Amino acid sequence: MAIIGGLGPDTSSFMAESVHVYKIPQLIYGSFAQEDFLITKLFPLYCMVPKEEHQYTGLIQLFLHFGWTWIGLFASENKEERFLKKLQQLLSQNGLCLAFTQNIPQHLNFEDLVKLWNSVTIISDKLIDQKANVFLVYGDSFTIVWLRTIMFMHDPENKESASFRKVWILMNPIDFILMGTQWSWDLQMFHGALSFTVHTRDIQGFKEFLQVIKPSTHKDGFIQEVWERLFDCSFSKADLPSLINETCSGEEILENLPGPLFEFQMTGESYSIYNAVYAVAHSLHEAVRSKSQPREIQRVEFANLLPWQVLPISVCNNHCSPGSWKKGLEGKQFCCYNCVLCPEGKISNQKDMDDCIQCSEDHYPNKEKNGCILKLVVFLTFEETLGIGLVSAALCLFFLTSWILGTFIKHRDTPIVRANNRSLTYTILVSLLLCFLSSLLFLSQPGKVTCLLRQPTFGITFSVAISSVLAKTITVVVAFMATKPGSQLRKWVGKRLTFSTVLSCSLLQVCICILWLSTFPPFPELDMHSESQAAILQCNEGSAFFFYCVLGYMGILAIASFIVAFLARKLPDSFNEAKFITFSMLAFCSVWISFFPAYLSTKGKAMVSVEVFSILSSSSALLGCIFLPKCYIIVFRPELNHREQLIKRN
């Protein structure tokens, strides 16, 4: 009704070619490589084991679990190409490489001893590979015997531990063919090997059956042959001489055999036969209501694997530590590489990374380049040395200006104060006070309000101060020209001219600032790129165009004041301020001309400090050149502060 067999793919395929003529179903129990069979729709062939592709998945998981990326492969010469075709893609996808692929001859050709010896030499060289410490064996029992023979030739006394200290992985299970080598060479094949086998489970009564089975009670030639192989003895036969001295009694106990020689539990192959028998029985019993039998899931068995002093390493290179990345070698497989330190600004936080990664904007690499550190938020503050120096200078200048203003108010009725338009003098001094105070906005933590106020406040107050200086110079020139007979400028002499000059010039700057704040207002932002290890909290000006318009307009007012003052510098008046205004505007223009390249070439806190320094310097120039000479006369030379000095000529 059905045939169950055989263990190897060759036997199964030969059987299939014969029995398919009679349409006899064949159930295979011992081979994963189902593609080896000539299977067509006409062949009633059923496999009781999972497909070989499931083994590949388990194999990849095994390699990845232990970190083995550099694997040596021994395969039967007629199976190597098909096996590699399926496995190579999975290996590449998971970052695994084959250190070598060595085919094993299926037949021993003793006629060509040179070729045979060359094969032995090549295989021996592979066995002592220093980097590949994991060997995968793909083949039948003859392949394993061949490898074991070469090991025995290399080390007849098995003195080297753990078979060259390699981990052996067998794709196919060990069968009884290998029993003859077990006794003489080593009871544990390869000193313990990992092998793939079909799932099995305990069968009721099976152990009891093995305990009572004996050749004396079971007259079966197969049992006798297995008995002789297991116990290394022979049943005496009169017609056949025996090469084994010990005679089998037939009463030996299977339970006394070591585990690697005879497993006292049902093997995967036997369990597949067990399932095949029941499959046929149930198929015949329930032919009308045929049910498909679920296939058992294969598993990996660790056969007597002793623990190692450390985990065996099987890689082409040592692992690249965090902080470096794998750089491939030209002409080599991708498992062979050099470890290269990560470039500036990048890290690798795991072993064997293919490339380094960039830290996020708010982090920077640590010294070892294996992690990212959060950037500290920094800005120009009152606590640091630079901030303390600028704040101290601003406050000193503020108090100096306040003292000068108080001095001028106290001596407001003296000729030197009255002669130069007291209202303009007070306006300039108050504007300078506000300019010195506005610099403190640049030294506080950038926020929404401070960013909105600091540039317009400085621009407007400074424009008022320069407009007042311009009004002073224009007033002096107009007053001198009005003294000429018939001059039409007499009606402009007085507060009308000064007020209109200051108001019109200042309002234009106010309009520019209003337009700026209503369209592209400044706002606080974090600069992540200027410094590698810090995030700079600063004010974004919103519109560079309006920012430079504000500064440019102040420059125009300063140049106009300079030109008018320069033209009026030689007017005959002891209290003529034109000379002092000329020097003050010259200093002012020098400061702001040098400001632009310095401002554009700096970033972060340095940029803010440059602007604060320019504000304090230009304001100090106005204060020092225009008002300190008058204070000198008022305080130290009061005898010069008389009406007679107003009419004195040079």
Side-chain angles (χ1 to χ4, degrees):
M1 301 302 298
I3 293 177
I4 299 174
L7 183 63
D10 295 336
T11 306
S12 298
S13 61
F14 294 153
M15 292 172 61
E17 291 178 0
S18 302
V19 301
H20 89 280
V21 178
Y22 305 99
K23 303 298 186 290
I24 299 175
Q26 179 180 351
L27 290 83
I28 302 171
Y29 65 86
S31 175
F32 295 112
Q34 300 169 15
E35 292 184 2
D36 287 343
F37 312 141
L38 185 60
I39 301 176
T40 66
K41 292 182 179 179
L42 300 177
F43 277 42
L45 197 63
Y46 305 97
C47 296
M48 301 306 298
V49 292
K51 291 183 179 181
E52 193 176 51
E53 284 76 4
H54 298 304
Q55 274 186 292
Y56 300 157
T57 303
L59 191 64
I60 296 299
Q61 292 177 355
L62 182 67
F63 291 154
L64 293 177
H65 177 76
F66 289 105
W68 295 328
T69 60
W70 196 241
I71 316 298
L73 172 65
F74 295 101
S76 300
E77 58 183 354
N78 60 343
K79 299 180 180 180
E80 176 187 7
E81 183 177 354
R82 180 182 62 80
F83 178 66
L84 286 176
K85 183 179 180 181
K86 293 183 176 180
L87 188 63
Q88 190 67 55
Q89 184 176 1
L90 286 175
L91 292 174
S92 300
Q93 290 175 353
N94 291 276
L96 308 174
C97 293
L98 292 177
F100 61 83
T101 56
Q102 178 62 48
N103 56 31
I104 304 298
Q106 285 294 96
H107 305 284
L108 296 178
N109 186 7
F110 291 100
E111 296 178 357
D112 192 349
L113 294 178
V114 176
K115 184 177 180 180
L116 179 62
W117 180 253
N118 288 337
S119 298
V120 172
T121 303
I122 293 173
I123 296 174
S124 297
D125 292 339
K126 303 296 185 185
L127 290 173
I128 59 176
D129 189 287
Q130 297 298 319
K131 291 184 178 179
N133 291 322
V134 175
F135 291 158
L136 176 64
V137 180
Y138 181 78
D140 53 18
S141 299
F142 186 82
T143 304
I144 299 174
V145 171
W146 176 259
L147 283 173
R148 199 67 186 91
T149 304
I150 295 176
M151 290 182 188
F152 181 76
M153 295 171 61
H154 189 275
D155 184 18
E157 299 181 3
N158 278 332
K159 291 181 179 179
E160 293 192 13
S161 61
S163 295
F164 308 101
R165 298 199 62 80
K166 309 295 183 182
V167 177
W168 294 86
I169 301 174
L170 310 180
M171 290 291 289
N172 295 319
I174 298 174
D175 56 32
F176 286 106
I177 297 176
L178 302 176
M179 293 306 175
T181 64
Q182 292 284 73
W183 277 113
S184 58
W185 286 341
D186 195 351
L187 288 177
Q188 295 196 33
M189 182 62 64
F190 302 108
H191 293 271
L194 306 180
S195 64
F196 287 84
T197 184
V198 181
H199 171 72
T200 184
R201 63 176 59 174
D202 293 333
I203 303 300
Q204 185 177 3
F206 180 69
K207 185 175 182 180
E208 290 75 10
F209 168 74
L210 292 178
Q211 289 173 339
V212 300
I213 188 173
K214 292 180 180 179
S216 58
T217 57
H218 294 72
K219 302 299 183 180
D220 190 329
F222 171 74
I223 292 181
Q224 287 190 357
E225 291 185 12
V226 171
W227 208 266
E228 290 178 339
R229 190 176 293 270
L230 288 175
F231 293 99
D232 196 24
C233 62
S234 65
F235 291 95
S236 58
K237 296 180 181 179
D239 54 340
L240 293 176
S242 176
L243 298 177
I244 303 176
N245 296 327
E246 188 174 346
T247 302
C248 296
S249 65
E251 297 298 325
E252 290 84 0
I253 300 175
L254 291 173
E255 241 177 325
N256 293 337
L257 292 172
L261 193 62
F262 184 81
E263 297 184 16
F264 219 68
Q265 295 179 343
M266 182 172 283
T267 63
E269 291 74 25
S270 297
Y271 188 65
S272 296
I273 298 173
Y274 174 87
N275 288 333
V277 172
Y278 274 91
V280 174
H282 284 292
S283 297
L284 294 175
H285 184 68
E286 301 182 6
V288 178
R289 301 180 302 146
S290 177
K291 293 184 178 180
S292 61
Q293 296 293 324
R295 295 181 178 179
E296 295 292 345
I297 301 175
Q298 65 184 24
R299 62 187 174 92
V300 181
E301 287 191 352
F302 300 87
N304 300 321
L305 179 63
L306 297 177
W308 295 62
Q309 295 162 332
V310 292
L311 183 70
I313 298 175
S314 186
V315 295
C316 181
N317 287 77
N318 292 329
H319 291 293
C320 289
S321 59
S324 60
W325 62 286
K326 299 190 300 185
K327 183 179 181 181
L329 299 175
E330 187 175 355
K332 301 284 186 178
Q333 295 190 59
F334 63 85
C335 287
C336 301
Y337 46 81
N338 285 332
C339 295
V340 180
L341 290 177
C342 289
E344 289 297 325
K346 290 189 175 183
I347 66 154
S348 62
N349 53 8
Q350 297 177 4
K351 290 183 178 180
D352 294 335
M353 290 190 66
D354 294 326
D355 197 3
C356 298
I357 57 176
Q358 192 85 32
C359 288
S360 59
E361 283 191 344
D362 56 344
H363 288 74
Y364 67 94
N366 60 8
K367 185 178 180 180
E368 293 77 19
K369 298 183 179 179
N370 56 10
C372 294
I373 302 175
L374 183 65
K375 291 182 177 180
L376 296 177
V377 178
V378 297
F379 52 91
L380 188 61
T381 62
F382 302 115
E383 289 82 8
E384 57 186 298
T385 304
L386 181 60
I388 293 174
L390 293 175
V391 169
S392 300
L395 293 178
C396 289
L397 291 171
F398 173 80
F399 290 122
L400 177 61
T401 307
S402 301
W403 176 77
I404 293 175
L405 178 60
T407 301
F408 272 66
I409 294 175
K410 181 179 179 180
H411 300 86
R412 61 185 176 274
D413 294 327
T414 59
I416 197 170
V417 176
R418 296 179 61 185
N420 292 285
N421 198 323
R422 285 180 297 184
S423 58
L424 284 179
T425 299
Y426 298 154
T427 302
I428 296 174
L429 289 173
V430 172
S431 299
L432 290 178
L433 283 174
L434 295 177
C435 285
F436 292 131
L437 289 178
S438 69
S439 64
L440 300 180
L441 291 173
F442 291 85
L443 299 173
S444 59
Q445 180 175 348
K448 188 174 181 180
V449 177
T450 54
C451 288
L452 285 173
L453 292 179
R454 66 184 191 177
Q455 295 291 0
T457 300
F458 158 68
I460 293 173
T461 55
F462 222 111
S463 296
V464 172
I466 301 176
S467 300
S468 300
V469 173
L470 178 61
K472 268 180 170 288
T473 55
I474 292 176
T475 300
V476 172
V477 173
V478 171
F480 181 78
M481 296 178 66
T483 58
K484 296 180 180 180
S487 176
Q488 300 293 326
L489 296 177
R490 289 185 179 182
K491 60 182 179 179
W492 290 99
V493 177
K495 295 183 178 180
R496 180 181 177 184
L497 177 62
T498 58
F499 180 77
S500 59
T501 301
V502 174
L503 183 63
S504 59
C505 293
S506 301
L507 281 179
L508 185 56
Q509 184 73 293
V510 171
C511 292
I512 295 175
C513 291
I514 291 175
L515 187 61
W516 182 8
L517 296 180
S518 60
T519 54
F520 304 102
F523 58 91
E525 69 169 1
L526 280 174
D527 180 9
M528 300 291 186
H529 307 289
S530 296
E531 294 188 17
S532 59
Q533 300 183 5
I536 301 174
L537 181 60
Q538 62 183 12
C539 289
N540 188 311
E541 305 306 343
S543 173
F545 172 76
F546 283 110
F547 173 67
Y548 289 115
C549 282
V550 170
L551 295 181
Y553 181 71
M554 289 190 297
I556 293 173
L557 292 179
I559 293 173
S561 299
F562 173 76
I563 293 174
V564 176
F566 181 79
L567 295 176
R569 71 188 186 282
K570 294 184 178 180
L571 292 179
D573 192 349
S574 295
F575 295 102
N576 183 10
E577 295 179 293
K579 294 180 181 179
F580 302 113
I581 293 176
T582 301
F583 284 115
S584 65
M585 291 298 103
L586 185 61
F588 177 89
C589 293
S590 300
V591 169
W592 287 102
I593 288 175
S594 61
F595 162 79
F596 287 102
Y599 185 81
L600 295 174
S601 62
T602 55
K603 293 181 180 180
K605 296 191 294 184
M607 179 182 288
V608 177
S609 61
V610 166
E611 186 167 2
V612 173
F613 179 79
S614 300
I615 293 172
L616 297 180
S617 300
S618 55
S619 301
S620 300
L622 290 180
L623 184 66
C625 293
I626 297 177
F627 296 103
L628 286 183
K630 296 184 178 69
C631 290
Y632 174 77
I633 294 176
I634 294 173
V635 177
F636 298 103
R637 300 292 300 275
E639 68 276 7
L640 299 178
N641 192 8
H642 293 287
R643 181 176 176 82
E644 291 78 11
Q645 295 296 328
L646 294 176
I647 58 175
K648 184 179 179 181
R649 297 291 182 263
N650 292 334

